[in-house]
Amino acid sequence: PTTPLHSSMPGCSGIHSARNDRRSYYLKLLICRTIIIYLCVLFAMRLMGKRQLGELQPEELVSTILISNLASISIESEEVPITSSLIPLFLIAALELLGSVLSFRSQKFFNLMSGRPKTVILDGQIDQNALRTLRLTTADLMEALRGKNIFDPRDVSYAVVETNGSLSAALRPEKETATLADLQLKVE
């Protein structure tokens, strides 16, 4: 068997050993930092009581984006101390909690932070001004209605765009599906 040329040269095996030790150290450091940041972000998100992403209020979405950015910086940059990301991470979580408490206690603060639901259809008529305010097109509204199995806005008694961006809609009574109670039938 042939041995590599550099292994027979004096002092070369020590260089490779030191380089491998340094790589091993940075790999272990990266794994530890990732685990610590993951657990801290998980704890912060649980503390804030996050809902599904589609149900986030604007301030919750901002907090989520900032926290993910802080976590990625801390994981990727070993020259940045881990506390440099943990302190802002928990500060954002604390601000989110404070905002939740203030929103719970003050309707004005809640409206300032989350906005108000906006009626976009009333008695089958689409409110174009409301759509403009929300920066939605009629096509966007029709897509949301189709997602609720409503294909004609004239069948809608009212539709509201909620503060999280979802659409709530109620059909006109004559367009609702009949129930057994409506038909005055008894189930035996």
Side-chain angles (χ1 to χ4, degrees), residues 25 36 38 51 70 82 85 110 122-123 160 179 181:
Y25 168 76
I36 290 169
Y38 173 77
R51 297 178 287 214
L70 284 169
I82 200 163
S85 289
F110 176 80
L122 188 59
D123 295 325
V160 176
T179 64

Side-chain angles (χ1 to χ4, degrees), residues 71-109:
S72 67
I73 289 169
S74 181
I75 290 170
E76 293 172 353
S77 304
E78 65 257 359
E79 66 272 0
V80 176
I82 200 163
T83 54
S84 295
S85 289
L86 292 181
I87 292 170
L89 185 145
F90 285 110
L91 178 60
I92 290 169
L95 289 172
E96 178 65 31
L97 286 172
L98 177 65
S100 296
V101 169
L102 290 174
S103 292
F104 183 72
R105 294 183 180 212
S106 168
Q107 187 64 40
K108 286 183 181 181
F109 186 80

Side-chain angles (χ1 to χ4, degrees), residues 4 13 15 34 51 59 77 79 106 114 119 129 146 149 156:
S13 63
I15 292 171
T34 302
R51 297 178 287 214
E59 68 276 6
S77 304
E79 66 272 0
S106 168
S114 299
T119 302
N129 290 330
R146 286 190 301 274
N149 288 325
V156 177

Side-chain angles (χ1 to χ4, degrees), residues 122-139:
L122 188 59
D123 295 325
Q125 298 295 316
I126 297 174
D127 184 346
Q128 293 296 333
N129 290 330
L131 290 180
R132 259 192 300 284
T133 302
L134 295 168
R135 292 185 302 278
L136 291 174
T137 64
T138 304

Side-chain angles (χ1 to χ4, degrees), residues 2 19 21 81 131 177:
T2 55
R19 197 176 294 153
D21 287 347
L131 290 180
T177 305

